[in-house]
Amino acid sequence: MKSHFSLILLSTLQCNADCEYCFENKADDRLTLDRLGEMIRKVLDYMVEKSLRSLTIYWQGGEAMLLPPSWYEQAHELIQREADARDKQVFHSLQSNMLAYSARWNPVIASMFGNSVGTSLDYPNLHRKLLGQGPESYNEIWGRRVQEARAAGIAVQVIAVPNQATLDIGAERFYRHFVDELGITEFQVNTPFPGGDTNTVKKELPVAEVEKLSHFYLELAEVWLDRGHRHGISVGPFDTLLQHFSHEPATLPCIWGDNCANALVSIDARGYVAQCDCWVTSYPDYHYGNIFESENFGELLRTSPARQKFNERPIQLIQRDCLSCDYLSLCHGGCPVRTYTVHGSLFEKDPYCELYKVLFGRMERAAQELAREAVAARSLAA
Ligand code: SF4
Ligand code: SF4
Ligand code: SF4
């Protein structure tokens, strides 16, 4: 067991947007400070039991900013008090669609979230929308809020999910939009998956077009290596893969962890516990339990039949589909939720297997080339 633990905490299941590919079943539930206190005490007691030193809480929704900044200020104090009493460290990270952002958030973003916020935008944006409106109004409000936040000194990281139109315009145009037009210096490209209740948009996500997506990722890697890598632009997952293959410390995304169930859990505003945000909001059969109905969080995790399945997945894949893969020790069979939403089972390898392989190969080669360049530069200087 590692000494760090991560918690995706959905403080509310309400949202002010209506994205067509959203995997969450929205509800009116909001976490109260009393319930947060009970939840956090149980999580910290589990950390004491497991000798885990530190915790990162990823605050999400629904839309996390639908609770006011004063709520988060009180939550911060409450959590710090409980953590201090157990000699544990807690870090906080905020993921928001930024639609409700205003300057009144600045103090708590600075004090609680390290003056940093993560948000999402696709390009071209087809599916992120406000209720009853087109993607243009989403883009317009999002762009304004992000500009205001950055003007206030807040670092904004963006997650983008490629859609059919992204693949059509190509990686260079995509990169240019984020870096040159929006001035974003840190973004990450996540593969799409059809989580939650099905709809037409989810059916049309380019999930089956692994070859086309792989081509897009490879092209984007080239653009980043050429224009971003040495110029302070961070694009995930290329940057962490390059660090990994350069034998530098790298925090790889959870999709390539040895078993995400060991390092991460999600709890929603109703107290339901599951593997991550998609599982907790959309797949009740895969809930580990409810933290408010259990005296002991460790016991809830240990005895959960659903969690047992997550623990069995890497072993089954190692014995079968992934046994002879050169990248097994990096990828471990990939992400359970991507697998489940495409194959309807946990016990298959990630549907993006082929994309990962070409990406790993390209970044491994880039790391070797950079190492050779560094050796040549040293021998020239000697
Ligand atoms: S994707 Fe996020 S911002 Fe969009 S509707 Fe779902 S929870 Fe809200
Ligand atoms: S299911 Fe996938 S996205 Fe969720 S925690 Fe595991 S690896 Fe991460
Ligand atoms: S790249 Fe494919 S075969 Fe290799 S470990 Fe990942 S999912 Fe398995």
Side-chain angles (χ1 to χ4, degrees), residues 139-197:
N139 293 354
E140 201 262 315
I141 299 174
W142 184 92
R144 206 156 4 106
R145 300 290 180 251
V146 166
Q147 214 175 15
E148 287 160 8
R150 294 176 67 216
I154 296 168
V156 179
Q157 299 94 35
V158 179
I159 294 176
V161 178
N163 55 41
Q164 215 38 267
T166 314
L167 302 186
D168 293 343
I169 59 158
E172 198 282 332
R173 182 69 194 93
F174 176 83
Y175 182 92
R176 190 152 33 100
H177 181 69
F178 281 103
V179 178
D180 302 336
E181 293 169 3
L182 296 180
I184 301 292
T185 54
E186 209 177 327
F187 67 100
Q188 153 184 339
V189 189
N190 284 0
T191 48
F193 63 92
D197 294 340

Short mmCIF file of all heavy atoms in Angstrom, two decimals, residues 139-197:
data_model
loop_
_atom_site.label_atom_id
_atom_site.label_comp_id
_atom_site.label_asym_id
_atom_site.label_seq_id
_atom_site.Cartn_x
_atom_site.Cartn_y
_atom_site.Cartn_z
N ASN A 139 -18.82 28.25 -24.73
CA ASN A 139 -17.46 28.72 -25.06
C ASN A 139 -17.25 30.16 -24.62
O ASN A 139 -16.20 30.52 -24.09
CB ASN A 139 -17.20 28.66 -26.57
CG ASN A 139 -17.17 27.24 -27.08
OD1 ASN A 139 -17.22 26.30 -26.31
ND2 ASN A 139 -17.12 27.08 -28.40
N GLU A 140 -18.29 30.96 -24.87
CA GLU A 140 -18.16 32.39 -24.61
C GLU A 140 -18.02 32.65 -23.11
O GLU A 140 -17.11 33.35 -22.66
CB GLU A 140 -19.41 33.08 -25.19
CG GLU A 140 -19.25 34.56 -25.46
CD GLU A 140 -19.83 35.35 -24.32
OE1 GLU A 140 -20.94 35.03 -23.85
OE2 GLU A 140 -19.14 36.28 -23.87
N ILE A 141 -18.91 32.04 -22.30
CA ILE A 141 -18.84 32.26 -20.84
C ILE A 141 -17.56 31.64 -20.28
O ILE A 141 -16.86 32.25 -19.48
CB ILE A 141 -20.10 31.68 -20.15
CG1 ILE A 141 -21.35 32.37 -20.67
CG2 ILE A 141 -20.01 31.83 -18.63
CD1 ILE A 141 -22.64 31.77 -20.16
N TRP A 142 -17.26 30.43 -20.71
CA TRP A 142 -16.05 29.74 -20.23
C TRP A 142 -14.82 30.59 -20.52
O TRP A 142 -13.97 30.82 -19.66
CB TRP A 142 -15.95 28.37 -20.90
CG TRP A 142 -14.80 27.54 -20.42
CD1 TRP A 142 -14.84 26.64 -19.40
CD2 TRP A 142 -13.46 27.51 -20.94
NE1 TRP A 142 -13.60 26.05 -19.26
CE2 TRP A 142 -12.74 26.57 -20.18
CE3 TRP A 142 -12.80 28.19 -21.96
CZ2 TRP A 142 -11.39 26.28 -20.41
CZ3 TRP A 142 -11.45 27.91 -22.19
CH2 TRP A 142 -10.76 26.96 -21.43
N GLY A 143 -14.72 31.09 -21.76
CA GLY A 143 -13.55 31.88 -22.17
C GLY A 143 -13.40 33.12 -21.30
O GLY A 143 -12.31 33.47 -20.86
N ARG A 144 -14.54 33.78 -21.02
CA ARG A 144 -14.50 35.01 -20.22
C ARG A 144 -14.05 34.69 -18.79
O ARG A 144 -13.19 35.35 -18.23
CB ARG A 144 -15.91 35.64 -20.22
CG ARG A 144 -15.87 37.11 -20.00
CD ARG A 144 -17.06 37.90 -20.53
NE ARG A 144 -18.16 37.21 -21.13
CZ ARG A 144 -19.36 37.05 -20.52
NH1 ARG A 144 -19.55 37.46 -19.30
NH2 ARG A 144 -20.35 36.47 -21.18
N ARG A 145 -14.65 33.65 -18.21
CA ARG A 145 -14.32 33.30 -16.81
C ARG A 145 -12.84 32.88 -16.67
O ARG A 145 -12.17 33.24 -15.72
CB ARG A 145 -15.21 32.16 -16.31
CG ARG A 145 -16.69 32.45 -16.33
CD ARG A 145 -17.09 33.47 -15.28
NE ARG A 145 -18.52 33.70 -15.35
CZ ARG A 145 -19.08 34.83 -15.79
NH1 ARG A 145 -18.34 35.84 -16.19
NH2 ARG A 145 -20.39 34.96 -15.82
N VAL A 146 -12.39 32.10 -17.65
CA VAL A 146 -11.00 31.62 -17.57
C VAL A 146 -10.03 32.80 -17.71
O VAL A 146 -9.03 32.90 -17.01
CB VAL A 146 -10.74 30.53 -18.64
CG1 VAL A 146 -9.26 30.26 -18.83
CG2 VAL A 146 -11.46 29.25 -18.22
N GLN A 147 -10.38 33.72 -18.58
CA GLN A 147 -9.55 34.92 -18.75
C GLN A 147 -9.50 35.72 -17.44
O GLN A 147 -8.43 36.17 -17.02
CB GLN A 147 -10.18 35.78 -19.84
CG GLN A 147 -9.17 36.51 -20.67
CD GLN A 147 -9.88 37.24 -21.81
OE1 GLN A 147 -11.11 37.40 -21.80
NE2 GLN A 147 -9.12 37.67 -22.78
N GLU A 148 -10.66 35.87 -16.78
CA GLU A 148 -10.71 36.62 -15.52
C GLU A 148 -9.87 35.92 -14.45
O GLU A 148 -9.13 36.56 -13.71
CB GLU A 148 -12.17 36.72 -15.01
CG GLU A 148 -13.02 37.69 -15.81
CD GLU A 148 -14.53 37.45 -15.64
OE1 GLU A 148 -14.93 36.62 -14.78
OE2 GLU A 148 -15.30 38.08 -16.39
N ALA A 149 -10.00 34.59 -14.41
CA ALA A 149 -9.24 33.83 -13.39
C ALA A 149 -7.73 33.99 -13.64
O ALA A 149 -6.96 34.19 -12.70
CB ALA A 149 -9.65 32.36 -13.44
N ARG A 150 -7.33 33.88 -14.89
CA ARG A 150 -5.89 33.98 -15.19
C ARG A 150 -5.39 35.40 -14.91
O ARG A 150 -4.28 35.59 -14.42
CB ARG A 150 -5.62 33.56 -16.62
CG ARG A 150 -5.93 32.05 -16.78
CD ARG A 150 -5.77 31.58 -18.18
NE ARG A 150 -4.39 31.62 -18.60
CZ ARG A 150 -3.99 31.92 -19.82
NH1 ARG A 150 -4.86 32.23 -20.74
NH2 ARG A 150 -2.73 31.91 -20.12
N ALA A 151 -6.24 36.40 -15.17
CA ALA A 151 -5.85 37.78 -14.88
C ALA A 151 -5.66 37.97 -13.37
O ALA A 151 -4.88 38.82 -12.93
CB ALA A 151 -6.89 38.75 -15.41
N ALA A 152 -6.36 37.15 -12.57
CA ALA A 152 -6.22 37.23 -11.11
C ALA A 152 -5.05 36.38 -10.62
O ALA A 152 -4.88 36.19 -9.42
CB ALA A 152 -7.53 36.79 -10.45
N GLY A 153 -4.29 35.81 -11.55
CA GLY A 153 -3.09 35.05 -11.16
C GLY A 153 -3.34 33.58 -10.91
O GLY A 153 -2.47 32.87 -10.41
N ILE A 154 -4.55 33.10 -11.25
CA ILE A 154 -4.88 31.69 -11.02
C ILE A 154 -4.37 30.84 -12.19
O ILE A 154 -4.60 31.20 -13.35
CB ILE A 154 -6.41 31.52 -10.84
CG1 ILE A 154 -6.85 32.26 -9.57
CG2 ILE A 154 -6.81 30.05 -10.79
CD1 ILE A 154 -8.35 32.41 -9.44
N ALA A 155 -3.68 29.75 -11.89
CA ALA A 155 -3.22 28.84 -12.95
C ALA A 155 -4.40 27.97 -13.36
O ALA A 155 -5.07 27.38 -12.51
CB ALA A 155 -2.08 27.98 -12.43
N VAL A 156 -4.67 27.89 -14.66
CA VAL A 156 -5.82 27.12 -15.15
C VAL A 156 -5.32 25.97 -16.03
O VAL A 156 -4.65 26.20 -17.03
CB VAL A 156 -6.79 28.02 -15.96
CG1 VAL A 156 -7.97 27.20 -16.48
CG2 VAL A 156 -7.27 29.18 -15.12
N GLN A 157 -5.61 24.75 -15.59
CA GLN A 157 -5.28 23.57 -16.41
C GLN A 157 -6.56 23.10 -17.10
O GLN A 157 -7.63 23.13 -16.49
CB GLN A 157 -4.75 22.40 -15.57
CG GLN A 157 -3.48 22.68 -14.81
CD GLN A 157 -3.77 23.14 -13.41
OE1 GLN A 157 -4.73 22.69 -12.81
NE2 GLN A 157 -2.96 24.04 -12.89
N VAL A 158 -6.41 22.66 -18.33
CA VAL A 158 -7.60 22.27 -19.11
C VAL A 158 -7.54 20.80 -19.49
O VAL A 158 -6.49 20.29 -19.91
CB VAL A 158 -7.70 23.13 -20.39
CG1 VAL A 158 -8.91 22.73 -21.23
CG2 VAL A 158 -7.79 24.61 -20.04
N ILE A 159 -8.68 20.13 -19.35
CA ILE A 159 -8.82 18.76 -19.87
C ILE A 159 -9.67 18.85 -21.13
O ILE A 159 -10.74 19.48 -21.12
CB ILE A 159 -9.50 17.84 -18.84
CG1 ILE A 159 -8.60 17.65 -17.62
CG2 ILE A 159 -9.84 16.48 -19.47
CD1 ILE A 159 -9.24 16.84 -16.52
N ALA A 160 -9.21 18.23 -22.21
CA ALA A 160 -9.99 18.22 -23.45
C ALA A 160 -10.24 16.78 -23.87
O ALA A 160 -9.37 15.92 -23.70
CB ALA A 160 -9.24 18.96 -24.55
N VAL A 161 -11.42 16.53 -24.39
CA VAL A 161 -11.75 15.19 -24.90
C VAL A 161 -11.98 15.32 -26.41
O VAL A 161 -12.84 16.08 -26.84
CB VAL A 161 -13.03 14.65 -24.21
CG1 VAL A 161 -13.40 13.28 -24.76
CG2 VAL A 161 -12.84 14.58 -22.70
N PRO A 162 -11.22 14.60 -27.23
CA PRO A 162 -11.40 14.72 -28.67
C PRO A 162 -12.75 14.16 -29.12
O PRO A 162 -13.22 13.15 -28.59
CB PRO A 162 -10.28 13.85 -29.26
CG PRO A 162 -9.41 13.44 -28.13
CD PRO A 162 -10.16 13.65 -26.87
N ASN A 163 -13.37 14.85 -30.06
CA ASN A 163 -14.60 14.34 -30.67
C ASN A 163 -14.35 14.18 -32.17
O ASN A 163 -13.22 14.41 -32.65
CB ASN A 163 -15.79 15.27 -30.37
CG ASN A 163 -15.51 16.70 -30.80
OD1 ASN A 163 -14.94 16.93 -31.86
ND2 ASN A 163 -15.88 17.66 -29.97
N GLN A 164 -15.39 13.84 -32.90
CA GLN A 164 -15.27 13.63 -34.34
C GLN A 164 -14.68 14.86 -35.04
O GLN A 164 -13.78 14.74 -35.89
CB GLN A 164 -16.68 13.33 -34.87
CG GLN A 164 -16.81 12.36 -35.98
CD GLN A 164 -15.89 11.16 -35.95
OE1 GLN A 164 -14.82 11.21 -36.53
NE2 GLN A 164 -16.29 10.07 -35.30
N ALA A 165 -15.15 16.06 -34.65
CA ALA A 165 -14.68 17.29 -35.30
C ALA A 165 -13.21 17.55 -34.98
O ALA A 165 -12.48 18.13 -35.79
CB ALA A 165 -15.55 18.47 -34.87
N THR A 166 -12.77 17.15 -33.78
CA THR A 166 -11.35 17.32 -33.40
C THR A 166 -10.48 16.50 -34.35
O THR A 166 -9.44 16.96 -34.82
CB THR A 166 -11.12 16.82 -31.95
OG1 THR A 166 -12.14 17.32 -31.11
CG2 THR A 166 -9.76 17.22 -31.44
N LEU A 167 -10.93 15.28 -34.60
CA LEU A 167 -10.15 14.41 -35.48
C LEU A 167 -10.13 14.99 -36.90
O LEU A 167 -9.14 14.87 -37.61
CB LEU A 167 -10.72 12.98 -35.49
CG LEU A 167 -10.79 12.29 -34.12
CD1 LEU A 167 -11.24 10.85 -34.27
CD2 LEU A 167 -9.45 12.34 -33.40
N ASP A 168 -11.23 15.63 -37.30
CA ASP A 168 -11.29 16.20 -38.65
C ASP A 168 -10.35 17.39 -38.82
O ASP A 168 -9.70 17.53 -39.85
CB ASP A 168 -12.73 16.63 -38.99
CG ASP A 168 -13.66 15.42 -39.11
OD1 ASP A 168 -13.13 14.30 -39.26
OD2 ASP A 168 -14.90 15.59 -39.02
N ILE A 169 -10.27 18.26 -37.79
CA ILE A 169 -9.40 19.45 -37.97
C ILE A 169 -7.93 19.11 -37.77
O ILE A 169 -7.05 19.81 -38.25
CB ILE A 169 -9.79 20.62 -37.01
CG1 ILE A 169 -9.70 20.15 -35.56
CG2 ILE A 169 -11.17 21.18 -37.34
CD1 ILE A 169 -9.54 21.27 -34.58
N GLY A 170 -7.64 18.04 -37.02
CA GLY A 170 -6.26 17.60 -36.85
C GLY A 170 -5.56 18.23 -35.66
O GLY A 170 -6.01 19.23 -35.09
N ALA A 171 -4.42 17.65 -35.31
CA ALA A 171 -3.74 18.00 -34.06
C ALA A 171 -3.12 19.39 -34.07
O ALA A 171 -3.11 20.08 -33.05
CB ALA A 171 -2.67 16.96 -33.76
N GLU A 172 -2.62 19.82 -35.23
CA GLU A 172 -1.94 21.13 -35.26
C GLU A 172 -2.93 22.24 -34.94
O GLU A 172 -2.65 23.13 -34.15
CB GLU A 172 -1.30 21.33 -36.64
CG GLU A 172 -0.23 22.41 -36.65
CD GLU A 172 -0.79 23.83 -36.68
OE1 GLU A 172 -1.90 24.05 -37.21
OE2 GLU A 172 -0.11 24.74 -36.16
N ARG A 173 -4.11 22.16 -35.56
CA ARG A 173 -5.15 23.20 -35.34
C ARG A 173 -5.63 23.17 -33.89
O ARG A 173 -5.87 24.20 -33.28
CB ARG A 173 -6.33 22.95 -36.31
CG ARG A 173 -7.43 23.97 -36.21
CD ARG A 173 -6.97 25.33 -36.75
NE ARG A 173 -7.85 26.41 -36.39
CZ ARG A 173 -7.70 27.19 -35.31
NH1 ARG A 173 -6.69 27.00 -34.47
NH2 ARG A 173 -8.53 28.17 -35.06
N PHE A 174 -5.76 21.96 -33.35
CA PHE A 174 -6.19 21.76 -31.97
C PHE A 174 -5.17 22.40 -31.01
O PHE A 174 -5.52 23.18 -30.12
CB PHE A 174 -6.29 20.24 -31.74
CG PHE A 174 -6.64 19.81 -30.36
CD1 PHE A 174 -7.95 19.76 -29.92
CD2 PHE A 174 -5.64 19.40 -29.47
CE1 PHE A 174 -8.28 19.33 -28.65
CE2 PHE A 174 -5.96 18.97 -28.19
CZ PHE A 174 -7.28 18.93 -27.79
N TYR A 175 -3.90 22.09 -31.22
CA TYR A 175 -2.83 22.63 -30.36
C TYR A 175 -2.81 24.16 -30.46
O TYR A 175 -2.70 24.86 -29.46
CB TYR A 175 -1.50 22.03 -30.82
CG TYR A 175 -0.31 22.47 -29.98
CD1 TYR A 175 0.11 21.72 -28.89
CD2 TYR A 175 0.39 23.64 -30.31
CE1 TYR A 175 1.20 22.12 -28.14
CE2 TYR A 175 1.47 24.05 -29.55
CZ TYR A 175 1.88 23.29 -28.48
OH TYR A 175 2.96 23.69 -27.72
N ARG A 176 -2.91 24.64 -31.69
CA ARG A 176 -2.85 26.09 -31.91
C ARG A 176 -3.98 26.79 -31.15
O ARG A 176 -3.78 27.86 -30.57
CB ARG A 176 -2.98 26.36 -33.43
CG ARG A 176 -2.71 27.77 -33.83
CD ARG A 176 -2.16 27.92 -35.24
NE ARG A 176 -2.61 26.96 -36.22
CZ ARG A 176 -3.58 27.19 -37.13
NH1 ARG A 176 -4.22 28.33 -37.15
NH2 ARG A 176 -3.88 26.26 -38.02
N HIS A 177 -5.17 26.20 -31.13
CA HIS A 177 -6.29 26.83 -30.43
C HIS A 177 -5.98 26.97 -28.93
O HIS A 177 -6.13 28.05 -28.37
CB HIS A 177 -7.58 26.01 -30.62
CG HIS A 177 -8.76 26.63 -29.93
ND1 HIS A 177 -9.32 27.81 -30.36
CD2 HIS A 177 -9.45 26.25 -28.84
CE1 HIS A 177 -10.32 28.14 -29.55
NE2 HIS A 177 -10.42 27.20 -28.62
N PHE A 178 -5.56 25.89 -28.32
CA PHE A 178 -5.33 25.94 -26.87
C PHE A 178 -4.12 26.83 -26.52
O PHE A 178 -4.21 27.69 -25.64
CB PHE A 178 -5.14 24.53 -26.29
CG PHE A 178 -6.45 23.82 -26.12
CD1 PHE A 178 -6.87 22.85 -27.01
CD2 PHE A 178 -7.29 24.17 -25.07
CE1 PHE A 178 -8.10 22.23 -26.86
CE2 PHE A 178 -8.53 23.56 -24.91
CZ PHE A 178 -8.93 22.58 -25.82
N VAL A 179 -3.01 26.60 -27.21
CA VAL A 179 -1.77 27.27 -26.80
C VAL A 179 -1.69 28.70 -27.36
O VAL A 179 -1.45 29.64 -26.61
CB VAL A 179 -0.55 26.44 -27.23
CG1 VAL A 179 0.75 27.14 -26.86
CG2 VAL A 179 -0.62 25.07 -26.57
N ASP A 180 -1.88 28.85 -28.66
CA ASP A 180 -1.66 30.17 -29.28
C ASP A 180 -2.88 31.09 -29.13
O ASP A 180 -2.73 32.28 -28.89
CB ASP A 180 -1.31 30.01 -30.77
CG ASP A 180 -0.08 29.13 -30.96
OD1 ASP A 180 0.73 29.04 -30.01
OD2 ASP A 180 0.07 28.53 -32.03
N GLU A 181 -4.07 30.53 -29.29
CA GLU A 181 -5.25 31.41 -29.24
C GLU A 181 -5.76 31.64 -27.81
O GLU A 181 -6.13 32.74 -27.45
CB GLU A 181 -6.37 30.82 -30.12
CG GLU A 181 -5.98 30.85 -31.60
CD GLU A 181 -6.92 30.06 -32.51
OE1 GLU A 181 -7.94 29.51 -32.04
OE2 GLU A 181 -6.61 29.98 -33.71
N LEU A 182 -5.77 30.56 -26.99
CA LEU A 182 -6.28 30.74 -25.62
C LEU A 182 -5.17 31.01 -24.60
O LEU A 182 -5.45 31.38 -23.46
CB LEU A 182 -7.08 29.50 -25.18
CG LEU A 182 -8.36 29.16 -25.95
CD1 LEU A 182 -9.01 27.91 -25.38
CD2 LEU A 182 -9.35 30.32 -25.92
N GLY A 183 -3.93 30.78 -25.00
CA GLY A 183 -2.82 31.03 -24.06
C GLY A 183 -2.72 30.01 -22.95
O GLY A 183 -2.15 30.27 -21.89
N ILE A 184 -3.29 28.82 -23.14
CA ILE A 184 -3.24 27.77 -22.12
C ILE A 184 -1.85 27.11 -22.18
O ILE A 184 -1.38 26.74 -23.25
CB ILE A 184 -4.33 26.70 -22.38
CG1 ILE A 184 -5.73 27.33 -22.38
CG2 ILE A 184 -4.23 25.54 -21.39
CD1 ILE A 184 -6.23 27.84 -21.07
N THR A 185 -1.22 26.97 -21.02
CA THR A 185 0.13 26.38 -21.03
C THR A 185 0.13 24.97 -20.45
O THR A 185 1.15 24.30 -20.43
CB THR A 185 1.10 27.24 -20.19
OG1 THR A 185 0.54 27.41 -18.89
CG2 THR A 185 1.33 28.59 -20.85
N GLU A 186 -1.01 24.53 -19.93
CA GLU A 186 -1.07 23.20 -19.33
C GLU A 186 -2.40 22.55 -19.69
O GLU A 186 -3.45 23.01 -19.22
CB GLU A 186 -0.97 23.35 -17.81
CG GLU A 186 -0.35 22.17 -17.13
CD GLU A 186 -0.21 22.43 -15.63
OE1 GLU A 186 0.01 23.58 -15.22
OE2 GLU A 186 -0.37 21.47 -14.88
N PHE A 187 -2.37 21.56 -20.55
CA PHE A 187 -3.62 20.85 -20.82
C PHE A 187 -3.37 19.36 -21.05
O PHE A 187 -2.24 18.92 -21.24
CB PHE A 187 -4.41 21.49 -21.97
CG PHE A 187 -3.79 21.40 -23.34
CD1 PHE A 187 -4.22 20.44 -24.25
CD2 PHE A 187 -2.81 22.28 -23.72
CE1 PHE A 187 -3.68 20.37 -25.52
CE2 PHE A 187 -2.24 22.21 -24.99
CZ PHE A 187 -2.67 21.27 -25.89
N GLN A 188 -4.45 18.63 -20.97
CA GLN A 188 -4.36 17.17 -21.02
C GLN A 188 -5.45 16.67 -21.93
O GLN A 188 -6.56 17.21 -21.92
CB GLN A 188 -4.50 16.69 -19.57
CG GLN A 188 -5.04 15.33 -19.36
CD GLN A 188 -5.21 15.06 -17.85
OE1 GLN A 188 -4.60 15.68 -17.01
NE2 GLN A 188 -6.08 14.14 -17.53
N VAL A 189 -5.14 15.65 -22.72
CA VAL A 189 -6.14 15.13 -23.66
C VAL A 189 -6.57 13.75 -23.17
O VAL A 189 -5.76 12.83 -23.08
CB VAL A 189 -5.55 15.03 -25.09
CG1 VAL A 189 -6.65 14.69 -26.08
CG2 VAL A 189 -4.88 16.34 -25.48
N ASN A 190 -7.84 13.64 -22.83
CA ASN A 190 -8.37 12.37 -22.33
C ASN A 190 -9.14 11.64 -23.43
O ASN A 190 -9.84 12.29 -24.22
CB ASN A 190 -9.34 12.61 -21.17
CG ASN A 190 -8.61 12.94 -19.88
OD1 ASN A 190 -7.38 13.00 -19.84
ND2 ASN A 190 -9.35 13.17 -18.81
N THR A 191 -9.03 10.32 -23.47
CA THR A 191 -9.80 9.57 -24.46
C THR A 191 -11.28 9.53 -24.06
O THR A 191 -11.60 9.43 -22.88
CB THR A 191 -9.28 8.12 -24.58
OG1 THR A 191 -9.14 7.59 -23.26
CG2 THR A 191 -7.96 8.08 -25.30
N PRO A 192 -12.19 9.60 -25.03
CA PRO A 192 -13.62 9.59 -24.71
C PRO A 192 -14.11 8.20 -24.30
O PRO A 192 -13.50 7.20 -24.69
CB PRO A 192 -14.28 10.00 -26.03
CG PRO A 192 -13.29 9.66 -27.09
CD PRO A 192 -11.92 9.68 -26.48
N PHE A 193 -15.16 8.15 -23.52
CA PHE A 193 -15.81 6.87 -23.24
C PHE A 193 -17.29 7.10 -22.96
O PHE A 193 -17.66 8.14 -22.41
CB PHE A 193 -15.11 6.11 -22.10
CG PHE A 193 -15.14 6.80 -20.76
CD1 PHE A 193 -16.15 6.56 -19.85
CD2 PHE A 193 -14.15 7.71 -20.41
CE1 PHE A 193 -16.17 7.18 -18.62
CE2 PHE A 193 -14.17 8.34 -19.17
CZ PHE A 193 -15.18 8.07 -18.28
N PRO A 194 -18.14 6.16 -23.36
CA PRO A 194 -19.59 6.40 -23.26
C PRO A 194 -20.17 6.00 -21.90
O PRO A 194 -20.99 5.09 -21.80
CB PRO A 194 -20.14 5.50 -24.38
CG PRO A 194 -19.17 4.36 -24.45
CD PRO A 194 -17.83 4.88 -24.03
N GLY A 195 -19.76 6.69 -20.84
CA GLY A 195 -20.22 6.33 -19.48
C GLY A 195 -21.66 6.75 -19.22
O GLY A 195 -22.15 7.70 -19.82
N GLY A 196 -22.32 6.06 -18.31
CA GLY A 196 -23.69 6.42 -17.90
C GLY A 196 -24.73 5.99 -18.93
O GLY A 196 -24.45 5.19 -19.83
N ASP A 197 -25.94 6.55 -18.78
CA ASP A 197 -27.04 6.18 -19.69
C ASP A 197 -26.67 6.51 -21.13
O ASP A 197 -26.09 7.56 -21.40
CB ASP A 197 -28.31 6.97 -19.33
CG ASP A 197 -28.82 6.56 -17.96
OD1 ASP A 197 -28.45 5.46 -17.50
OD2 ASP A 197 -29.56 7.35 -17.34
#
